[in-house]
Amino acid sequence: MNKKTIISLMLGAMSMLPASAQDGWFVDVGGGVQTIFSSDASKLDFGKRLTPSYRIGVGKWITPVYALRLQVGGYALNGMSTSEGLYLRDPQTDGSVYGPHDPVIDNVTVRPDGTYRHYLRYVNAHADFMVSLSRLLFSGQGKFDVLPAVGLGYARTFAYRGTAATNSLTANFSVLAKYKATKCLDVNLEIGSALMPDHFDGRITGKMYEPTLGATLGLTYNFNASKVCAKKERSRKQHREAVVDTVYMVERIVERPIYKERIVEKPVAKKQNPFRLASISFAYASAKPSEKQNVVFENIVEYLKQNPSARIRLDGYADKATGKAKTNLMLSIRRTDSVRNILIERYNIAPSRIEAQGIGSNAQPYENNNLNRVVIVTAIPE
């Protein structure tokens, strides 16, 4: 395989990636629940520690694999406090240093064991580096993807029910699993954690950090993909208009008993000295080319590039061992339509250089029925 063919294959593979994974901006929003693992938090029932959370982010793919994102999230957390520790906004101090008296205790109900719920309101803004694992490890093009992310951020705790206002630097980690619902819209589930410094909740207990953990369900909208969708739809519409005459001709001929004779006796082919350039196979009842045939398409495209005045003809077939004649005819039309779409949309071949006709099972180019699930590509030199 020469260097030119390898480059063409790489460009073709890149063009098949979803638009959101190639380049372009995206936004994501979501909502869910979270909890904090602060000092004494375990003394509060886990269900009562769960609080609502939100996230909203904007990002951009810098390569098909890597992206940068700015995300803002947070809202509420429930912790627990006791008389142990040092507290910011101690009324006995000037409000700028830590003291032994917690101002929260004057705004909540103290439980018999001396603990009391610590209410927090906060926002956390962080910049993340994201990786698409399906494209990094498997060059995936499917609907599912997993994206781990790591980043640094800034958290602001607001003064609320005795809690002190604080500013903190945070370390953020998450794993986002997404499913491509449409070309432009993904459904995602993100599990994320933020490591907060000990003073995050206005209380010093000697811990190095206090982690949060949350799960949110949300949506991602890919801006670049929306443009690609519109472009492909215009291309499909133009192609449908271009093949109307071919489809009409084949459907009209199938109603005549001389259809097979007209296909077999084609004097024009001999005058133009055509030759068989390639054949593209299909699975049973499928109109999508079988896998691992990229090299076949590359050879067709290379021939057309080297022969600018040449054209090709696509003859679609179906095996007569399965299906009725008219069903097989329409299946063969769909197969030629699929091959033509690939040549026009992926490889930018001019529609005027491609003829197409569905033959169905009225003619069988091969003795083996399975081999007749095929589109034969004939080169027509000028």
Side-chain angles (χ1 to χ4, degrees), residues 52 110 132 135 156 163 189 198 215 221 233 304 368 376:
V110 180
S132 168
R135 292 171 183 83
R156 171 70 175 179
T163 301
L189 173 66
D198 188 24
Y221 183 81
E233 181 57 31
L304 292 173
N368 187 329
I376 293 178

Side-chain angles (χ1 to χ4, degrees), residues 18 43 59 72-73 113 141 148 213 219 246 358:
K43 296 180 180 180
V72 178
D113 61 359
Q141 301 171 14
L213 180 66
L219 299 172
T246 301

Side-chain angles (χ1 to χ4, degrees), residues 36-52:
I36 186 170
F37 297 91
S38 60
S39 300
D40 303 312
S42 60
K43 296 180 180 180
L44 185 64
D45 293 340
F46 184 75
K48 294 181 180 180
R49 289 165 59 189
L50 295 178
T51 52

Side-chain angles (χ1 to χ4, degrees), residues 84-88 98 198-207:
E84 298 177 357
L86 296 175
Y87 305 90
L88 191 64
Y98 290 89
D198 188 24
H199 70 270
F200 167 73
D201 57 358
R203 178 189 182 198
I204 293 293
T205 60
K207 294 184 65 174

Side-chain angles (χ1 to χ4, degrees), residues 280-299:
I280 299 171
S281 60
F282 296 79
Y284 168 74
S286 173
K288 181 180 179 181
S290 300
E291 296 181 357
K292 300 182 179 179
Q293 297 191 91
N294 287 341
V295 174
V296 178
F297 282 100
E298 292 290 339
N299 290 336

Side-chain angles (χ1 to χ4, degrees), residues 7 24 64 137 146 195 228 257 306 314 327 330 336:
I7 294 175
L137 302 178
V146 176
L195 300 185
V228 174
Q306 294 180 4
L314 308 178
T327 301
M330 299 311 298
T336 58

Side-chain angles (χ1 to χ4, degrees), residues 325-344:
K326 191 165 185 178
T327 301
N328 286 337
L329 174 63
M330 299 311 298
L331 177 58
S332 69
I333 293 172
R334 289 170 54 210
R335 285 172 174 169
T336 58
D337 187 68
S338 176
V339 173
R340 182 167 179 157
N341 271 336
I342 292 173
L343 291 171
I344 292 174

Side-chain angles (χ1 to χ4, degrees), residues 276 317-318 360 363-368 371-374 376:
R276 182 175 296 184
Y317 295 89
Q364 299 283 269
Y366 302 106
E367 292 184 4
N368 187 329
L371 298 180
N372 292 315
R373 303 164 187 163
V374 69
I376 293 178

